[in-house]
Amino acid sequence: MSDQTMREFMIANKLSEAEDMYDLVVIDQAPGSDLLQIGSLIASDSLIVPSRMDQLALDSVLEIITSARALGKYPNVDPPQLIGVLPNEFDLVTRETLQNVERLQKAVGNALVLPPIPRDTSVREASSRGMTLWEYAPSSRAIVGYENESRIVNSLGRVGGCLHLCEIV
């Protein structure tokens, strides 16, 4: 991997051609460990891993974090800095959700578990109408988060929502 013309560096090379044009580039990547994901990790400076709070999803989170950190053993590759894991489609009703957040906190550390994005039907409704969530429902729970929910406040003292994620980034 020391030869930067290899295909693993294709995304990084293309992004470097446009680095003066953008302040921030977001690469939304499905879970897995294929060439596209590895190329995205190599191209990234920072990493946020969104995840539902079920056991299979948590296994994928740990795999992605392990893959990102393993990149540091290769010459000329700086692994992305893990900003955190973002619980999404978060549901306070199920005990499993809260238990899996606790498992995640033990696995990656409390500070790396970001305030969750609540489950909100407005997200699906906006998508089906071809609108952004900010256009469709700017005061939705997915954007503003939970109010006064002490069970899920993390070390940052917040309770989630897209607006808080934007503040972090």
Side-chain angles (χ1 to χ4, degrees):
M1 288 184 60
S2 62
D3 179 3
Q4 292 208 9
T5 62
M6 293 181 66
R7 58 189 183 163
E8 288 85 356
F9 290 90
M10 186 182 332
I11 295 171
N13 291 338
K14 288 296 180 186
L15 286 174
S16 70
E17 293 173 9
E19 67 185 338
D20 294 335
M21 297 170 58
Y22 303 99
D23 294 325
L24 177 68
V25 175
V26 175
I27 302 172
D28 186 358
Q29 181 68 42
S33 56
D34 60 9
L35 182 61
L36 186 58
Q37 185 186 59
I38 298 301
S40 296
L41 290 171
I42 289 171
S44 299
D45 296 322
S46 303
L47 175 64
I48 296 174
V49 184
S51 178
R52 290 186 316 267
M53 290 292 101
D54 61 70
Q55 190 57 51
L56 290 176
L58 292 180
D59 291 343
S60 293
V61 166
L62 298 177
E63 181 181 326
I64 292 166
I65 292 170
T66 300
S67 295
R69 290 178 176 160
L71 293 174
K73 68 182 181 182
Y74 296 101
N76 302 321
V77 177
D78 293 322
Q81 174 193 358
L82 179 62
I83 292 175
V85 178
L86 177 65
N88 64 20
E89 298 184 32
F90 195 84
D91 185 2
L92 283 171
V93 176
T94 65
R95 185 178 323 175
E96 176 194 23
T97 299
L98 296 173
Q99 289 171 340
N100 284 333
V101 167
E102 290 174 7
R103 286 185 194 124
L104 182 61
Q105 289 169 330
K106 287 178 185 171
V108 301
N110 189 42
L112 289 176
V113 178
L114 300 172
I117 305 293
R119 180 182 301 269
D120 189 333
T121 57
S122 297
V123 174
R124 290 189 305 277
E125 292 169 354
S127 177
S128 70
R129 288 175 174 75
M131 301 172 74
T132 68
L133 187 55
W134 278 267
E135 293 168 325
Y136 180 72
S139 60
S140 67
R141 211 171 33 175
I143 289 181
V144 299
Y146 291 106
E147 292 184 40
N148 303 318
E149 187 50 61
S150 61
R151 290 181 293 174
I152 59 171
V153 173
N154 73 357
S155 63
L156 299 173
R158 297 297 300 269
V159 291
C162 294
L163 288 175
H164 184 231
L165 179 62
C166 291
E167 292 170 2
I168 292 169
V169 173

